[in-house]
Amino acid sequence: MSIIKTIENLEAWLTDADHRNRTLGLVPTMGYLHEGHCSLIRAAKADNDLVVVSVFVNPTQFAPGEDFESYPRNIERDYELAVDSGADIVFNPEAGEIYVQGASTAVEVSGEITKKLCGASRPTHFKGVTTVVNILFNIVRPDKAYFGQKDAQQALIIKKMVRDLHMPVEVIVCPIVREKDGLAMSSRNIYLGPEERKQAVCLNCGLQKALEYLNSGSDDSRSVRKLIEVIENHIKGQDLAIIDYVRILDGETLEEITDIEPGKTALAAVAVKFGKTRLIDNRVLSVEVR
Amino acid sequence: MSIIKTIENLEAWLTDADHRNRTLGLVPTMGYLHEGHCSLIRAAKADNDLVVVSVFVNPTQFAPGEDFESYPRNIERDYELAVDSGADIVFNPEAGEIYVQGASTAVEVSGEITKKLCGASRPTHFKGVTTVVNILFNIVRPDKAYFGQKDAQQALIIKKMVRDLHMPVEVIVCPIVREKDGLAMSSRNIYLGPEERKQAVCLNCGLQKALEYLNSGSDDSRSVRKLIEVIENHIKGQDLAIIDYVRILDGETLEEITDIEPGKTALAAVAVKFGKTRLIDNRVLSVEVR
């Protein structure tokens, strides 16, 4: 087992007699693995004969001024964690391996699904994500690929890309893994100062309060406007928290809704800045059909 | 053998014990097959165990006002010709089979390669082409796919898409097949009236004259400006011919060039209208390195 850097070596591994014709799971990551990634790798190992973990900090999904340069990297530690969680190999290519000289082809999902939430503040982000995931799927050709519900919008967009383009891969979305106090795990959590770290739990708590309000039986408990207010009021109680967005949208298409309708899912999603660090979290909301 | 209409039936055929693990060639067409298509099917049969011919008039590569509705169709005849040429099956899906409900994902190659030539007069055309070819590659998953040099720009763009996205397929480009008088075969040739049909040979003759001038040893024989003039003057001699474009560009990138440089290829490409019928033709130009 080893860290594979080139497509040529990966192809040799994939087509080796011991590996071909076996089921293959792919866990695409940007590295700096935490327990959230490890849960994806374990899920992949449970479903497939072989598991490839890719570690690639994709430059095209960062806009100028975002944290591409400073994004945390530690490939040796990633390798240990990946193997301990069940990975067979770690694929860690350079950008020039993924993007050939003069590459100018993009895969883009259009519509509300990419315009809302993080698409509003990061207009080129998802085009970078769908293009690199498409490339990774073509290189690795997995049977199944694993993504975290933490990046709920990303997961919806990738599922849509796969469906629209009829890509021969099944996308599996795994639950958010949280710290003991409820903060969603993220590679960016290490940016937080001690007081910011304490207050960062407000994303999860605010979402939890919305879920409780939805089930409270109040007259306006299904009102999106009211539920957003519940979340915002909670987050605003933290003096270091600066809200980027609090939105509740259709759980599949991310189109605007005014009420949580029985039998349908909605996605409550928040993005909050602490200093330069931008955190996201979400909860799928649904009302029981009685 | 039969005409397969659904992805489900195609998938059953592809994964049948008699067909899996055999080499597979795909010839994507818009139907109304002629000898040019048949030459692609024969090439595919020579290279592969199995050959799939797709017949799909792709709505997304036609702009409003173009000939999508009137594009000639004859699936029974296409089936006979395809099988006679070596096809194992013909895949003839409805648009709703290729484009799922609410589909909004596009694959787009950007740069001069899609802006020049037909990209200038048909600005959304190649986005439709790359998206549908990407989908067909994902559905059929061929080892090799066959395209005609007749649509030289399309072939370059598809090769670039495959390279940029690391798609696991080899793109093979086959030579232009011509009528006895030199007119490049095209499904649209049937639109031509008798006098238009006679004059239509001027595309090929003009290109031939440019090739002759390039090899004439004249001082300006490698000048793109001069070679374009040679082609235009010839075509303008036909009173029914209306030039859409005559261009000579870099043979790989379609970037502007001023001279044909030894050791490099250039693409001389023409589009000419006869009434409502738009015909294209091309010649790869190169100068021997002495």
Side-chain angles (χ1 to χ4, degrees):
Chain A
M1 285 191 297
S2 62
I3 300 173
I4 291 183
K5 302 288 291 178
T6 66
I7 293 169
E8 188 182 352
N9 288 348
L10 179 70
E11 187 63 25
W13 188 89
L14 291 171
T15 55
D16 181 280
D18 287 346
H19 305 138
R20 63 190 310 162
N21 297 322
R22 299 181 68 189
T23 60
L24 183 67
L26 170 66
V27 183
T29 82
M30 297 214 301
Y32 215 74
L33 303 187
H34 53 63
E35 183 53 28
H37 301 102
C38 294
S39 75
L40 300 178
I41 299 169
R42 286 193 296 271
K45 193 61 181 178
D47 287 350
N48 302 275
D49 298 331
L50 298 170
V51 174
V52 174
V53 173
S54 63
V55 173
F56 180 61
V57 184
N58 173 35
T60 69
Q61 70 192 66
F62 292 82
E66 289 185 353
D67 58 347
F68 172 66
E69 298 297 337
S70 63
Y71 195 87
R73 291 163 171 88
N74 188 340
I75 187 65
E76 297 303 329
R77 186 168 158 281
D78 287 345
Y79 177 73
E80 297 297 331
L81 282 170
V83 170
D84 285 352
S85 305
D88 292 279
I89 54 165
V90 170
F91 177 49
N92 178 226
E94 297 293 325
E97 215 35 39
I98 297 294
Y99 298 107
V100 302
Q101 179 102 40
S104 68
T105 305
V107 179
E108 188 165 21
V109 177
S110 58
E112 294 306 294
I113 198 168
T114 47
K115 285 197 197 98
K116 291 289 167 59
L117 304 178
C118 292
S121 51
R122 306 180 76 188
T124 60
H125 172 67
F126 288 116
K127 186 175 177 175
V129 170
T130 43
T131 301
V132 78
V133 170
N134 191 290
I135 290 172
L136 287 170
F137 285 177
N138 287 334
I139 293 172
V140 180
R141 303 185 296 282
D143 297 287
K144 296 181 180 178
Y146 296 78
F147 295 87
Q149 173 65 16
K150 164 81 182 333
D151 298 303
Q153 187 176 15
Q154 170 178 280
L156 287 173
I157 291 167
I158 288 168
K159 285 176 91 160
K160 183 157 167 53
M161 171 186 76
V162 164
R163 199 168 51 234
D164 286 357
L165 296 181
H166 299 263
M167 298 193 83
V169 57
E170 186 181 347
V171 173
I172 313 277
V173 182
C174 298
I176 296 175
V177 177
R178 297 180 179 282
E179 304 286 353
K180 277 187 188 152
D181 68 353
L183 175 64
M185 290 206 183
S186 165
S187 305
R188 291 189 172 103
N189 290 350
I190 60 149
Y191 295 151
L192 297 168
E195 183 56 29
E196 291 173 336
R197 172 64 190 81
K198 258 187 237 167
Q199 295 191 12
V201 73
C202 71
L203 284 79
N204 180 50
C205 291
L207 289 163
Q208 190 55 33
K209 285 191 187 300
L211 193 60
E212 285 161 14
Y213 196 86
L214 178 64
N215 293 316
S216 68
S218 307
D219 280 355
D220 60 355
S221 67
R222 295 181 189 170
S223 155
V224 162
R225 192 193 50 70
K226 176 63 187 175
L227 291 166
I228 287 174
E229 191 182 296
V230 168
I231 300 170
E232 286 186 341
N233 284 345
H234 180 79
I235 295 173
K236 283 175 182 165
Q238 309 299 313
D239 63 338
L240 300 177
I242 295 162
I243 292 175
D244 182 358
Y245 62 71
V246 174
R247 304 297 298 274
I248 298 177
L249 300 165
D250 180 275
E252 287 293 319
T253 63
L254 302 186
E255 287 170 349
E256 302 279 350
I257 53 174
T258 54
D259 292 284
I260 313 287
E261 303 222 14
K264 296 190 107 179
T265 62
L267 182 72
V270 301
V272 176
K273 281 193 169 181
F274 288 91
K276 287 182 179 172
T277 309
R278 184 172 171 281
L279 302 180
I280 59 174
D281 201 348
N282 68 82
R283 200 76 104 251
V284 175
L285 304 179
S286 63
V287 184
E288 251 179 74
V289 186
R290 293 170 202 267
Chain B
M1 287 190 296
S2 62
I3 299 173
I4 291 183
K5 303 287 290 179
T6 67
I7 293 170
E8 188 183 352
N9 289 346
L10 179 70
E11 186 63 24
W13 188 89
L14 290 170
T15 56
D16 182 282
D18 288 347
H19 305 138
R20 62 191 311 162
N21 296 321
R22 300 181 68 188
T23 59
L24 182 67
L26 170 66
V27 183
T29 80
M30 297 214 301
Y32 215 76
L33 304 187
H34 52 63
E35 183 53 28
H37 300 102
C38 294
S39 75
L40 300 178
I41 299 169
R42 286 193 296 271
K45 192 62 183 177
D47 286 352
N48 301 276
D49 297 331
L50 299 170
V51 174
V52 174
V53 173
S54 63
V55 173
F56 181 61
V57 184
N58 173 35
T60 70
Q61 71 193 65
F62 292 81
E66 288 185 354
D67 58 347
F68 171 66
E69 297 296 336
S70 63
Y71 195 88
R73 291 164 171 88
N74 188 340
I75 187 65
E76 297 304 329
R77 187 170 157 279
D78 287 344
Y79 177 72
E80 297 298 332
L81 282 170
V83 170
D84 285 353
S85 305
D88 292 279
I89 53 164
V90 170
F91 178 49
N92 177 228
E94 297 293 324
E97 207 52 25
I98 296 295
Y99 299 108
V100 301
Q101 180 102 38
S104 67
T105 304
V107 179
E108 188 164 22
V109 177
S110 58
E112 294 305 294
I113 198 169
T114 47
K115 285 199 197 97
K116 291 287 166 59
L117 305 178
C118 293
S121 51
R122 306 180 76 188
T124 60
H125 173 67
F126 287 117
K127 185 176 179 177
V129 170
T130 43
T131 301
V132 78
V133 169
N134 191 290
I135 290 172
L136 288 170
F137 285 177
N138 287 334
I139 293 172
V140 180
R141 304 185 295 281
D143 298 287
K144 296 180 180 177
Y146 296 78
F147 295 87
Q149 174 64 19
K150 164 83 182 333
D151 297 303
Q153 186 176 16
Q154 170 179 279
L156 287 173
I157 290 168
I158 289 168
K159 284 175 92 160
K160 182 156 167 54
M161 171 185 77
V162 164
R163 197 168 52 233
D164 286 357
L165 296 182
H166 300 263
M167 298 193 84
V169 58
E170 186 182 346
V171 174
I172 313 279
V173 182
C174 299
I176 297 175
V177 178
R178 298 180 179 282
E179 304 285 354
K180 277 187 188 150
D181 67 353
L183 174 64
M185 291 206 183
S186 165
S187 305
R188 291 190 171 102
N189 289 351
I190 61 149
Y191 296 152
L192 298 167
E195 183 56 28
E196 291 173 336
R197 172 63 191 81
K198 259 188 237 166
Q199 295 191 12
V201 73
C202 70
L203 284 78
N204 180 52
C205 291
L207 289 164
Q208 190 56 33
K209 284 190 187 302
L211 193 60
E212 285 162 13
Y213 196 85
L214 178 64
N215 292 316
S216 68
S218 307
D219 280 355
D220 59 356
S221 68
R222 294 182 192 172
S223 155
V224 161
R225 194 193 49 71
K226 177 62 188 176
L227 291 165
I228 287 175
E229 191 182 298
V230 166
I231 300 170
E232 287 186 341
N233 284 345
H234 180 79
I235 295 173
K236 284 174 180 165
Q238 309 300 310
D239 63 338
L240 300 177
I242 296 162
I243 292 175
D244 181 359
Y245 62 72
V246 174
R247 304 297 298 273
I248 297 177
L249 300 165
D250 180 273
E252 287 293 319
T253 63
L254 302 187
E255 286 168 351
E256 302 279 351
I257 54 174
T258 53
D259 292 283
I260 314 284
E261 302 220 16
K264 296 189 107 181
T265 61
L267 181 73
V270 300
V272 176
K273 281 192 169 183
F274 289 90
K276 288 183 179 172
T277 309
R278 185 172 171 280
L279 303 179
I280 59 174
D281 201 348
N282 68 82
R283 200 75 102 249
V284 175
L285 304 179
S286 64
V287 184
E288 252 179 76
V289 186
R290 291 169 204 269

